[in-house]
Amino acid sequence: MHVLLQGLGNNSNDYVELISSLKKRGLEATVAEVSRPDWLQNANCFLDKRCWSRKISPRPLLDWYFERMQKSIISAKLAAGGDTKVSLLAHSAGGWLARMYMLEYGIDDISMLLSLGTPHLPPPKGVPGVVDQTRGLLDYLNKACPGNCFAPDVKYICIAGRFLKGERIFSSEVPAIATTGVGTIVATSKHRIRAAAKLRRLDGRTKQWVATLQACLVGQSYKQVCGQADVWGDGVVPEISAHLHGARNITLNGVYHSMLGARHPDRPWYGSPGVLEQWVHFLE
């Protein structure tokens, strides 16, 4: 039996298609009951002075999430007969929250953690412009339970996506966009040919500029997670952060971070057809 854990900001309904795809393969899975507004409870962090020094503790801040996890694990075990351990299938932040749960609640009911695009590692300290968005929670976790600390009792599998390489904002030249009035050149066929050629050049430059801008924006997301912008990742989480020491670490090419905003077939996420088949055998 498998328990699916949401990523930050996701709700249970976001994973309906993934649950359905698993069931078609004979894999019974349940998803923890979490709604989008539930995540607002994490804002209680800012009422704790330790939050501002980035030394926050997981409890009681994350108790609400742990309780949803525990309820889903108990339900999954009962559905499987009561004695069977469960596998945790965790998307994004759900992966490190699962590790935190095992640290706080123990591993008696858990046989495996399979994470999809999880930022497992805290960002490096002292990097200008980088702020630990977990306010010290990942530091706490990786000091108390580094890597695959519960192996071999728990099997760790960490899947990363390689969708887009980020760029540093000041490391590459952004092509200038010409603003000449090419639309006024209409007199002769030669002029039309020249105008068409100029439009093609402008279109190519625009696409290059847009691609560069996207890579720079994504690079800033990566930098907040791993301290470096010009690395590969799934569009949100850098590859190097989604792997964990001692785990079975796998990288899938062309895979985007989330089902939200994913455009098939050019932006498949971890649960999309063709991607699911590359890791689902670990659950069988």
Side-chain angles (χ1 to χ4, degrees):
M1 193 66 179
H2 312 289
V3 174
L4 197 156
L5 305 174
Q6 299 91 334
L8 180 66
N10 289 113
N11 65 26
S12 304
N13 292 332
D14 293 335
Y15 299 88
V16 169
E17 290 186 12
L18 176 54
I19 293 292
S20 176
S21 296
L22 293 174
K23 287 185 176 180
K24 288 178 182 178
R25 291 165 173 79
L27 298 170
E28 290 298 321
T30 184
V31 58
E33 290 296 326
V34 175
S35 67
R36 248 178 276 283
D38 285 333
W39 293 100
L40 294 175
Q41 296 179 67
N42 289 350
N44 290 327
C45 166
F46 297 106
L47 302 177
D48 190 326
K49 63 181 181 180
R50 295 174 300 171
C51 174
W52 303 101
S53 60
R54 299 182 183 88
K55 295 180 180 179
I56 195 73
S57 297
R59 306 184 70 177
L61 177 65
L62 299 176
D63 279 346
W64 71 270
Y65 191 88
F66 295 153
E67 289 167 5
R68 309 295 175 87
M69 277 188 64
Q70 189 175 49
K71 183 178 179 180
S72 296
I73 290 171
I74 292 172
S75 176
K77 283 175 61 66
L78 289 174
D83 295 327
T84 305
K85 290 189 175 185
V86 303
S87 298
L88 301 179
L89 173 59
H91 174 226
S92 193
W96 68 260
L97 286 167
R99 292 172 58 209
M100 194 78 80
Y101 176 91
M102 291 190 288
L103 176 63
E104 298 292 323
Y105 284 70
I107 60 171
D108 291 345
D109 298 324
I110 300 166
S111 62
M112 180 172 68
L113 169 61
L114 191 157
S115 64
L116 303 170
T118 290
H120 282 295
L121 307 177
K125 294 179 175 59
V127 178
V130 174
V131 176
D132 181 2
Q133 299 173 60
T134 70
R135 296 292 169 172
L137 287 172
L138 277 176
D139 265 327
Y140 174 95
L141 174 62
N142 283 279
K143 288 176 181 176
C145 188
N148 63 337
C149 73
F150 291 117
D153 297 305
V154 176
K155 185 177 183 180
Y156 291 75
I157 300 167
C158 300
I159 312 292
R162 198 173 241 249
F163 180 77
L164 181 65
K165 184 179 180 181
E167 294 291 346
R168 290 178 289 176
I169 291 177
F170 300 109
S171 65
S172 58
E173 181 180 351
V174 179
I177 304 299
T179 57
T180 52
V182 295
T184 61
I185 304 176
V186 294
T188 66
S189 58
K190 181 184 291 186
H191 287 149
R192 292 192 184 97
I193 292 172
R194 289 175 178 172
K198 187 173 289 188
L199 283 171
R200 284 195 295 272
R201 290 197 298 273
L202 286 170
D203 184 58
R205 289 174 181 174
T206 300
K207 289 179 180 178
Q208 184 180 357
W209 184 86
V210 169
T212 301
L213 176 61
Q214 182 185 20
C216 286
L217 292 174
V218 167
Q220 292 311 296
S221 173
Y222 293 163
K223 183 178 179 179
Q224 291 302 312
V225 179
C226 73
Q228 187 174 344
D230 50 348
V231 295
W232 279 94
D234 63 11
V236 176
V237 175
E239 176 186 353
I240 56 177
S241 298
H243 288 163
L244 197 59
H245 179 72
R248 175 79 178 271
N249 293 313
I250 298 167
T251 295
L252 303 180
N253 288 321
V255 178
Y256 183 63
H257 180 76
S258 174
M259 79 295 288
L260 302 178
R263 298 190 303 272
H264 299 278
D266 62 323
R267 189 182 279 191
W269 83 289
Y270 294 98
S272 297
V275 179
L276 175 65
E277 287 75 14
Q278 297 181 62
W279 57 260
V280 73
H281 58 278
F282 289 113
L283 300 179
E284 296 171 344

